[in-house]
Amino acid sequence: MTVKIFDDYNSMSAAAADIIIETVKHKPEALLCFATGNTPVRTYEILIEKAKASNTDFSRCFCIGLDEWIGVPKEKYGTCHYLLHQQVFNPLGIKSSQIHIFDGMNTNIKAECNKMDAVIDSKGGVDCMLVGIGINGHIGFNEPGVDVTLKAHEQELHGSTLASGQHYFNEPTPISKGITLGLAQVLKAKKLLLLANGKSKTAIIKQAVEGELTNKVPASYVQRADNAIIIIDKEAGAQLSAK
Ligand code: F6R
């Protein structure tokens, strides 16, 4: 794990965008995985600007979504499907044949998980994965207490995840469960970018980066991942002793 602390949200976002661009330049057929949420919004804006400015060709890469809400139609504003298309795939001209996102409406969630596992295996693993962190230490929808050996799976969501998740939708939306890549897949990404900014993430970043390795804080497992780059602003890193 490497920790990089930036002066502000904009510069950390630019650094994350640079790593995604470099990945695709180095390996045009890269498998990329993207999270939604507030944290990566600026990274995606900068990624689009830099991709245009540098003529980076995304036409051969393949993209997957980190997670999805179960029981919410994908067309609805706020789903990972909707937001990733709006913020990343459409602006970068990534075609539907280059994308696989969990279908949270599939009544057979196990089959949905198997499909995602098969996509990742067929591409030889994820080349670059961008994730955020929940205030309870979740990554994707891997909530505290999760079995860290799991691949894609269904997850009952905790109160803080449901509360923050509700803000992604433009109207009250019933949510209770999610489908997510498992930590076994997250930690194996060839480059794992964990982003966090702002005061609300200061305490959990301290626990994740310098605390005990425990599934009570799923993100603490990034300490074991040589491939993990923790990209944070000064506020999120304010309690770290090794600054
Ligand atoms: C979203 C996701 C979540 C978020 C996390 C942080 O796809 O996987 O784990 O990354 O809840 O959310 P924000 O960035 O809104 O603070």
Side-chain angles (χ1 to χ4, degrees), residues 35-40 66-67 80 132-134 138-140 168 201:
T36 54
N38 296 323
T39 312
L66 178 64
D67 47 20
C80 298
I133 180 171
H138 72 217
I139 290 185
Y168 305 144
K201 300 290 170 71

PDB file of all heavy atoms in Angstrom, residues 35-40 66-67 80 132-134 138-140 168 201, ligand 1:
ATOM      1  N   ALA A  35     -16.248   2.957  -9.378  1.00  0.00           N
ATOM      2  CA  ALA A  35     -17.271   3.120  -8.332  1.00  0.00           C
ATOM      3  C   ALA A  35     -18.082   4.377  -8.642  1.00  0.00           C
ATOM      4  O   ALA A  35     -17.665   5.231  -9.429  1.00  0.00           O
ATOM      5  CB  ALA A  35     -16.591   3.287  -6.979  1.00  0.00           C
ATOM      6  N   THR A  36     -19.223   4.490  -7.990  1.00  0.00           N
ATOM      7  CA  THR A  36     -19.975   5.752  -8.042  1.00  0.00           C
ATOM      8  C   THR A  36     -19.813   6.450  -6.690  1.00  0.00           C
ATOM      9  O   THR A  36     -18.895   6.154  -5.935  1.00  0.00           O
ATOM     10  CB  THR A  36     -21.461   5.501  -8.380  1.00  0.00           C
ATOM     11  OG1 THR A  36     -21.972   4.564  -7.448  1.00  0.00           O
ATOM     12  CG2 THR A  36     -21.626   4.985  -9.789  1.00  0.00           C
ATOM     13  N   GLY A  37     -20.714   7.364  -6.381  1.00  0.00           N
ATOM     14  CA  GLY A  37     -20.604   8.112  -5.127  1.00  0.00           C
ATOM     15  C   GLY A  37     -20.059   9.496  -5.392  1.00  0.00           C
ATOM     16  O   GLY A  37     -19.722   9.850  -6.530  1.00  0.00           O
ATOM     17  N   ASN A  38     -19.951  10.292  -4.328  1.00  0.00           N
ATOM     18  CA  ASN A  38     -19.494  11.678  -4.486  1.00  0.00           C
ATOM     19  C   ASN A  38     -18.000  11.766  -4.760  1.00  0.00           C
ATOM     20  O   ASN A  38     -17.548  12.623  -5.512  1.00  0.00           O
ATOM     21  CB  ASN A  38     -19.809  12.473  -3.215  1.00  0.00           C
ATOM     22  CG  ASN A  38     -21.308  12.572  -2.983  1.00  0.00           C
ATOM     23  OD1 ASN A  38     -22.073  12.709  -3.930  1.00  0.00           O
ATOM     24  ND2 ASN A  38     -21.740  12.470  -1.733  1.00  0.00           N
ATOM     25  N   THR A  39     -17.240  10.877  -4.124  1.00  0.00           N
ATOM     26  CA  THR A  39     -15.782  11.014  -4.160  1.00  0.00           C
ATOM     27  C   THR A  39     -15.201  11.054  -5.576  1.00  0.00           C
ATOM     28  O   THR A  39     -14.390  11.929  -5.877  1.00  0.00           O
ATOM     29  CB  THR A  39     -15.122   9.883  -3.337  1.00  0.00           C
ATOM     30  OG1 THR A  39     -15.781   9.810  -2.075  1.00  0.00           O
ATOM     31  CG2 THR A  39     -13.641  10.110  -3.152  1.00  0.00           C
ATOM     32  N   PRO A  40     -15.587  10.120  -6.459  1.00  0.00           N
ATOM     33  CA  PRO A  40     -14.893  10.101  -7.759  1.00  0.00           C
ATOM     34  C   PRO A  40     -15.430  11.076  -8.810  1.00  0.00           C
ATOM     35  O   PRO A  40     -14.911  11.101  -9.925  1.00  0.00           O
ATOM     36  CB  PRO A  40     -15.094   8.657  -8.240  1.00  0.00           C
ATOM     37  CG  PRO A  40     -16.311   8.168  -7.566  1.00  0.00           C
ATOM     38  CD  PRO A  40     -16.496   8.966  -6.310  1.00  0.00           C
ATOM     39  N   LEU A  66     -18.450  -1.400  -9.950  1.00  0.00           N
ATOM     40  CA  LEU A  66     -18.076  -2.037  -8.678  1.00  0.00           C
ATOM     41  C   LEU A  66     -19.262  -2.680  -7.975  1.00  0.00           C
ATOM     42  O   LEU A  66     -19.135  -3.734  -7.340  1.00  0.00           O
ATOM     43  CB  LEU A  66     -17.451  -0.960  -7.773  1.00  0.00           C
ATOM     44  CG  LEU A  66     -17.020  -1.351  -6.373  1.00  0.00           C
ATOM     45  CD1 LEU A  66     -15.889  -2.396  -6.410  1.00  0.00           C
ATOM     46  CD2 LEU A  66     -16.560  -0.119  -5.589  1.00  0.00           C
ATOM     47  N   ASP A  67     -20.420  -2.037  -8.050  1.00  0.00           N
ATOM     48  CA  ASP A  67     -21.566  -2.533  -7.266  1.00  0.00           C
ATOM     49  C   ASP A  67     -22.873  -1.989  -7.833  1.00  0.00           C
ATOM     50  O   ASP A  67     -22.865  -1.184  -8.765  1.00  0.00           O
ATOM     51  CB  ASP A  67     -21.400  -2.179  -5.776  1.00  0.00           C
ATOM     52  CG  ASP A  67     -21.003  -0.728  -5.542  1.00  0.00           C
ATOM     53  OD1 ASP A  67     -21.208   0.105  -6.444  1.00  0.00           O
ATOM     54  OD2 ASP A  67     -20.484  -0.422  -4.453  1.00  0.00           O
ATOM     55  N   CYS A  80     -25.908   2.779 -10.056  1.00  0.00           N
ATOM     56  CA  CYS A  80     -24.528   2.793 -10.541  1.00  0.00           C
ATOM     57  C   CYS A  80     -24.556   2.764 -12.065  1.00  0.00           C
ATOM     58  O   CYS A  80     -23.751   3.440 -12.719  1.00  0.00           O
ATOM     59  CB  CYS A  80     -23.756   1.601  -9.989  1.00  0.00           C
ATOM     60  SG  CYS A  80     -23.679   1.659  -8.200  1.00  0.00           S
ATOM     61  N   GLY A 132     -14.181   4.094  -3.540  1.00  0.00           N
ATOM     62  CA  GLY A 132     -14.264   5.054  -2.447  1.00  0.00           C
ATOM     63  C   GLY A 132     -14.245   4.279  -1.128  1.00  0.00           C
ATOM     64  O   GLY A 132     -13.977   3.076  -1.103  1.00  0.00           O
ATOM     65  N   ILE A 133     -14.548   4.962  -0.060  1.00  0.00           N
ATOM     66  CA  ILE A 133     -14.630   4.294   1.248  1.00  0.00           C
ATOM     67  C   ILE A 133     -15.834   4.873   1.998  1.00  0.00           C
ATOM     68  O   ILE A 133     -16.043   6.100   1.995  1.00  0.00           O
ATOM     69  CB  ILE A 133     -13.309   4.454   2.053  1.00  0.00           C
ATOM     70  CG1 ILE A 133     -13.399   3.757   3.415  1.00  0.00           C
ATOM     71  CG2 ILE A 133     -12.915   5.922   2.212  1.00  0.00           C
ATOM     72  CD1 ILE A 133     -12.049   3.695   4.152  1.00  0.00           C
ATOM     73  N   GLY A 134     -16.620   3.995   2.600  1.00  0.00           N
ATOM     74  CA  GLY A 134     -17.756   4.457   3.394  1.00  0.00           C
ATOM     75  C   GLY A 134     -17.279   4.895   4.778  1.00  0.00           C
ATOM     76  O   GLY A 134     -16.198   4.488   5.226  1.00  0.00           O
ATOM     77  N   HIS A 138     -16.586   0.547   4.598  1.00  0.00           N
ATOM     78  CA  HIS A 138     -16.888  -0.359   3.479  1.00  0.00           C
ATOM     79  C   HIS A 138     -16.153   0.059   2.214  1.00  0.00           C
ATOM     80  O   HIS A 138     -15.815   1.221   2.023  1.00  0.00           O
ATOM     81  CB  HIS A 138     -18.407  -0.490   3.243  1.00  0.00           C
ATOM     82  CG  HIS A 138     -19.085   0.716   2.653  1.00  0.00           C
ATOM     83  ND1 HIS A 138     -20.353   1.103   3.019  1.00  0.00           N
ATOM     84  CD2 HIS A 138     -18.695   1.615   1.715  1.00  0.00           C
ATOM     85  CE1 HIS A 138     -20.702   2.169   2.315  1.00  0.00           C
ATOM     86  NE2 HIS A 138     -19.716   2.506   1.533  1.00  0.00           N
ATOM     87  N   ILE A 139     -15.923  -0.950   1.384  1.00  0.00           N
ATOM     88  CA  ILE A 139     -15.437  -0.714   0.014  1.00  0.00           C
ATOM     89  C   ILE A 139     -16.449  -1.399  -0.888  1.00  0.00           C
ATOM     90  O   ILE A 139     -16.776  -2.575  -0.661  1.00  0.00           O
ATOM     91  CB  ILE A 139     -14.043  -1.332  -0.228  1.00  0.00           C
ATOM     92  CG1 ILE A 139     -12.964  -0.585   0.547  1.00  0.00           C
ATOM     93  CG2 ILE A 139     -13.709  -1.298  -1.719  1.00  0.00           C
ATOM     94  CD1 ILE A 139     -11.537  -1.065   0.262  1.00  0.00           C
ATOM     95  N   GLY A 140     -16.904  -0.712  -1.911  1.00  0.00           N
ATOM     96  CA  GLY A 140     -18.038  -1.253  -2.665  1.00  0.00           C
ATOM     97  C   GLY A 140     -19.162  -1.413  -1.656  1.00  0.00           C
ATOM     98  O   GLY A 140     -19.423  -0.530  -0.837  1.00  0.00           O
ATOM     99  N   TYR A 168     -27.941   9.680  -3.423  1.00  0.00           N
ATOM    100  CA  TYR A 168     -27.578   9.565  -4.840  1.00  0.00           C
ATOM    101  C   TYR A 168     -28.815   9.608  -5.743  1.00  0.00           C
ATOM    102  O   TYR A 168     -28.706   9.856  -6.928  1.00  0.00           O
ATOM    103  CB  TYR A 168     -26.809   8.264  -5.127  1.00  0.00           C
ATOM    104  CG  TYR A 168     -25.576   8.048  -4.271  1.00  0.00           C
ATOM    105  CD1 TYR A 168     -25.217   6.779  -3.838  1.00  0.00           C
ATOM    106  CD2 TYR A 168     -24.764   9.116  -3.901  1.00  0.00           C
ATOM    107  CE1 TYR A 168     -24.089   6.568  -3.065  1.00  0.00           C
ATOM    108  CE2 TYR A 168     -23.637   8.920  -3.124  1.00  0.00           C
ATOM    109  CZ  TYR A 168     -23.307   7.647  -2.709  1.00  0.00           C
ATOM    110  OH  TYR A 168     -22.196   7.441  -1.939  1.00  0.00           O
ATOM    111  N   LYS A 201     -14.228  11.743   6.232  1.00  0.00           N
ATOM    112  CA  LYS A 201     -13.471  10.509   6.010  1.00  0.00           C
ATOM    113  C   LYS A 201     -12.197  10.427   6.869  1.00  0.00           C
ATOM    114  O   LYS A 201     -11.489   9.432   6.820  1.00  0.00           O
ATOM    115  CB  LYS A 201     -13.105  10.377   4.518  1.00  0.00           C
ATOM    116  CG  LYS A 201     -14.314  10.321   3.575  1.00  0.00           C
ATOM    117  CD  LYS A 201     -15.089   9.041   3.694  1.00  0.00           C
ATOM    118  CE  LYS A 201     -16.425   9.039   2.958  1.00  0.00           C
ATOM    119  NZ  LYS A 201     -16.335   8.997   1.516  1.00  0.00           N
TER     120      LYS A 201
HETATM  121  C1  F6R B   1     -20.249   3.341  -4.670  1.00  0.00           C
HETATM  122  C2  F6R B   1     -19.554   2.557  -3.647  1.00  0.00           C
HETATM  123  C3  F6R B   1     -19.479   3.006  -2.248  1.00  0.00           C
HETATM  124  C4  F6R B   1     -18.884   4.417  -2.126  1.00  0.00           C
HETATM  125  C5  F6R B   1     -18.738   4.827  -0.657  1.00  0.00           C
HETATM  126  C6  F6R B   1     -18.276   6.255  -0.528  1.00  0.00           C
HETATM  127  O1  F6R B   1     -20.192   2.664  -5.922  1.00  0.00           O
HETATM  128  O2  F6R B   1     -19.065   1.518  -3.958  1.00  0.00           O
HETATM  129  O3  F6R B   1     -18.712   2.092  -1.521  1.00  0.00           O
HETATM  130  O4  F6R B   1     -17.633   4.430  -2.742  1.00  0.00           O
HETATM  131  O5  F6R B   1     -19.950   4.675   0.006  1.00  0.00           O
HETATM  132  O6  F6R B   1     -19.258   7.092  -1.041  1.00  0.00           O
HETATM  133  P1  F6R B   1     -18.993   8.651  -1.270  1.00  0.00           P
HETATM  134  O7  F6R B   1     -17.943   8.731  -2.325  1.00  0.00           O
HETATM  135  O8  F6R B   1     -20.311   9.187  -1.770  1.00  0.00           O
HETATM  136  O9  F6R B   1     -18.547   9.196   0.023  1.00  0.00           O
END
